[in-house]
Amino acid sequence: MSFRRKYARLCYAETVSTTPLIHLDAGQVRQARSLARRAGAPVVKLAKAHTTVSVERATLRLAGLTGADHEGQPWVNHLVDAVRGQVGLEHGVTTPVFDALRAGAAPDLLTLAQQSAAGSVTFRLPEGRDLKATQRAARTAVARGIRTIDAQRAVRDRLIRRHGDPKQTPWIYLIVATGDIDEDIPQAQAAAREGADVIAVIRSTGQSLLDFVPEGATHEGFAGTYATQENFRLMRAALDETSREVGRYVRLTNYASGLCMPEIATLAGLERLDMMLNDSMYGILFRDINPIRTFVDQRFSRQIHARAGIIINTGEDNYLTTADAVDAAHTVTVSQLLNEYFAKEAGLEDWQLGLGHAFEINPEVPESFRLELAHALLARTLFPDAPLKWMPPTKHMTGDVFRGYLLDGFFNLAGTMTGQGILLVGMMTEAVVTPFLSDRDLALQNVRYVLDAAGGLREDFHPPRDGFIQTRSRHVLGEAVDLLDRIATDGLLDAIADGTFGLMKRPADHGKGLDGVIVRAPDYDNPAVTLLETGATR
């Protein structure tokens, strides 16, 4: 057995039980997954037939291109734009770029990008022997980036063996969001010392709509800190120091979403991030990014995550902030099944699937806690080998801190009773104001109390087969199968356009970033895609 599989078992041995807490019809579960494949397969085919400006930029980043001009515009953007303007991107960006390098237009990628921005480089599409030599040169350069990702994964494995994993599950996931990387670092280190197992650096508001990745360390994000390669490097180094101090490996999370999803995923792999928020539909539904752009970008991103050993976190919890958490419960299950299909098709394994769901039922609803348990147990039973990311209440937080603290306690209790793998710490002022540091301390106390007092409760919790909880779980699964059947027949893109998920209507021919989608030519070449799909290193 490979170390990766042994490690996955060790990570989630406490989370996953061989005996499910609820009983689902095995045939219905198989039907649900079959329908998810039918619904997702045409989207994968569509993704394979297209590329995007961000996929091409990510490929050049793997080849080593970094830096930005005096106005902060990355050189990789300049180079891709110049190639697109002269010969297009349907054949892939690396062919004309490395042809120009071989012809002596510039000594390296950075100089070529600078000269292209000044309009002093002429690109062409080589043929014959020139084409083959160019493609070999491109593959050699991109392979160096892939090997860096492989090396970073090996470093993670080594540090986990040295420092160990958290002794208890679920892993405690806590956010920092100052906007300044120099302030984020001490807050993240303090949170790890106080018991956080995963630190999520919240990204600056609106970065998902930037069609470039900012460069360098940043100090002025709004409600979060910009995702940049340097910020990734600084935070990872700081948490490595804290990992040595606390005697367990502290994981780092950021966001691979938005218009630069492939590039940010690539930077995360290069700088050894451990988890990335990466949902197949979040950007479509909640940022109005074009559906085709999103599906093309997310497939490449997940191939990077698979190679890097990164756990993805999906965003189904967001649906319940715009739709009713009881009426729309089955849409969460449908999205989880689709995310599972897309993730595995891209090469991710079960232990990397932090599928999302949330504690968002209105507490005024009768039996709300039993309903929450039913929904959480359905996810846990459908995906027994996945860590699952369980999100705290936000929609029904009112500003009453005592009520909010109680709701978070119920959320923590549901998480441990149902064996969730990743528990985002809920704070009593969540979604009302930016939480104070003291709120975080109280929230961690809440989590620690529940896990210490009831951490083994799952062993004793067995809802009766025909009781309220199991009946509700089976009902939601049935609704999910019905919806998947309709989506498989009508098409996923049409379902998204009709507002099936989160009540957001997003047609496939609209949305931000559509102009960055390119149909691949028959001779399209991208060495990053080839290396990722074949598992090669050279």
Side-chain angles (χ1 to χ4, degrees):
M1 181 183 294
S2 68
F3 172 76
R4 179 168 62 180
R5 292 185 182 277
K6 289 179 181 176
Y7 162 63
R9 284 192 177 184
L10 288 172
C11 285
Y12 303 112
E14 294 180 81
T15 302
V16 179
S17 170
T18 55
T19 304
L21 298 184
I22 59 173
H23 298 272
L24 302 175
D25 180 86
Q28 191 174 44
V29 172
R30 287 193 298 272
Q31 181 186 14
R33 283 198 162 88
S34 175
L35 289 168
R37 284 193 299 272
R38 278 182 51 200
V43 173
V44 170
K45 183 178 180 181
L46 186 73
K48 289 180 176 181
H50 292 78
T51 186
T52 72
V53 290
S54 188
V55 167
E56 302 304 319
R57 295 193 302 248
T59 303
L60 291 179
R61 287 181 181 276
L62 284 168
L65 182 54
T66 61
D69 64 18
H70 66 284
E71 294 182 344
Q73 186 73 358
W75 292 118
V76 70
N77 284 62
H78 284 297
L79 186 51
V80 168
D81 290 347
V83 170
R84 187 179 190 184
Q86 291 188 36
V87 298
L89 294 176
E90 57 267 28
H91 305 277
V93 74
T94 55
T95 297
V97 162
F98 281 85
D99 174 71
L101 288 176
R102 288 185 68 249
D108 53 51
L109 276 175
L110 177 58
T111 306
L112 184 71
Q114 292 169 340
Q115 292 179 353
S116 72
S120 59
V121 179
T122 299
F123 295 101
R124 65 164 191 153
L125 293 171
E127 298 178 349
R129 291 182 179 179
D130 284 343
L131 174 61
K132 291 182 179 179
T134 294
Q135 290 177 342
R136 283 196 300 270
R139 179 167 174 143
T140 298
V142 172
R144 285 195 290 269
I146 296 292
R147 289 197 298 275
T148 299
I149 289 176
D150 292 342
Q152 288 284 39
R153 178 171 182 163
V155 170
R156 181 194 299 115
D157 292 344
R158 186 167 64 250
L159 290 176
I160 290 171
R161 289 195 297 269
R162 179 183 303 166
H163 301 310
D165 261 318
K167 294 182 175 66
Q168 190 174 37
T169 53
W171 289 345
I172 299 172
Y173 177 115
L174 195 139
I175 64 175
V176 295
T178 71
D180 184 338
I181 187 62
D182 289 340
E183 293 184 22
D184 280 348
I185 286 173
Q187 288 202 15
Q189 291 179 310
R193 294 184 189 108
E194 293 164 7
D197 303 311
V198 183
I199 301 296
V201 180
I202 299 300
R203 195 168 61 175
S204 181
T205 298
Q207 184 175 352
S208 63
L209 299 182
L210 298 180
D211 214 344
F212 67 93
V213 180
E215 187 75 18
T218 63
H219 308 282
E220 51 189 24
F222 178 73
T225 303
Y226 285 102
T228 74
Q229 184 169 7
E230 179 65 4
N231 285 348
F232 288 175
R233 186 191 67 80
L234 291 169
M235 183 61 81
R236 182 63 270 170
L239 292 181
D240 283 348
E241 291 180 7
T242 308
S243 296
R244 289 192 293 270
E245 177 187 336
V246 301
R248 69 181 189 283
Y249 183 72
V250 180
R251 285 170 170 79
L252 174 59
T253 301
N254 212 285
Y255 292 66
S257 61
L259 293 172
C260 292
M261 187 192 306
E263 293 173 87
I264 294 176
T266 298
L267 298 178
L270 292 170
E271 299 299 336
R272 191 170 36 89
L273 272 71
D274 308 286
M275 295 184 184
M276 295 297 282
L277 279 77
N278 185 237
D279 185 79
S280 60
M281 294 188 286
Y282 175 85
I284 301 169
L285 302 175
F286 298 99
R287 294 294 181 266
D288 194 22
I289 295 174
N290 174 258
I292 299 172
R293 171 77 177 258
T294 299
F295 283 120
V296 176
D297 284 350
Q298 68 93 22
R299 185 171 187 270
F300 184 92
S301 302
R302 290 182 175 192
Q303 290 178 315
I304 291 284
H305 292 144
R307 187 70 177 245
I310 289 172
I311 295 172
I312 66 167
N313 298 157
T314 61
E316 284 81 4
D317 56 287
N318 292 282
Y319 304 168
L320 304 185
T321 63
T322 54
D324 182 81
V326 177
D327 294 342
H330 63 294
T331 67
V332 169
T333 303
V334 167
S335 179
Q336 289 168 337
L337 288 161
L338 290 169
N339 259 313
E340 178 192 48
Y341 167 74
F342 289 132
K344 289 191 172 184
E345 189 280 329
L348 289 156
E349 297 187 42
D350 284 317
W351 66 270
Q352 294 175 280
L353 305 185
L355 300 171
H357 55 142
F359 191 95
E360 288 285 16
I361 296 173
N362 187 339
E364 303 300 326
V365 172
E367 309 290 356
S368 64
F369 187 67
R370 296 172 80 190
L371 288 167
E372 296 284 14
L373 290 175
H375 298 172
L377 283 172
L378 173 60
R380 178 73 282 163
T381 306
L382 280 174
F383 309 100
D385 299 317
L388 301 185
K389 184 184 175 191
W390 181 231
M391 298 289 284
T394 57
K395 185 176 180 179
H396 299 288
M397 287 294 201
T398 63
D400 180 340
V401 294
F402 300 104
R403 178 178 181 272
Y405 201 64
L406 180 62
L407 278 178
D408 285 332
F410 270 65
F411 159 74
N412 295 330
L413 181 60
T416 193
M417 289 176 69
T418 59
Q420 304 303 311
I422 304 165
L423 189 76
L424 193 147
V425 175
M427 301 186 193
M428 56 217 187
T429 50
E430 194 83 49
V432 180
V433 298
T434 300
F436 295 114
L437 291 180
S438 56
D439 294 346
R440 184 179 70 194
D441 293 337
L442 288 169
L444 284 167
Q445 288 180 35
N446 190 326
V447 173
R448 283 195 295 267
Y449 170 72
V450 172
L451 294 186
D452 290 345
L457 188 58
R458 186 167 187 254
E459 178 184 334
D460 307 305
F461 177 50
H462 297 282
R465 186 162 189 157
D466 295 319
F468 179 92
I469 289 174
Q470 295 223 37
T471 300
R472 172 62 183 172
S473 299
R474 290 191 291 269
H475 175 76
V476 173
L477 178 59
E479 289 186 313
V481 168
D482 291 343
L483 178 55
L484 278 167
D485 189 31
R486 178 168 67 82
I487 293 172
T489 301
D490 297 342
L492 179 56
L493 292 178
D494 286 343
I496 293 171
D498 290 342
T500 300
F501 301 98
L503 302 180
M504 300 293 182
K505 297 183 177 182
R506 305 299 190 199
D509 57 351
H510 289 75
K512 302 174 182 70
L514 175 60
D515 59 345
V517 178
I518 302 99
V519 177
R520 293 183 185 181
D523 62 347
Y524 173 81
D525 182 68
N526 185 318
V529 171
T530 302
L531 291 162
L532 291 168
E533 291 187 348
T534 62
T537 60
R538 298 186 183 278

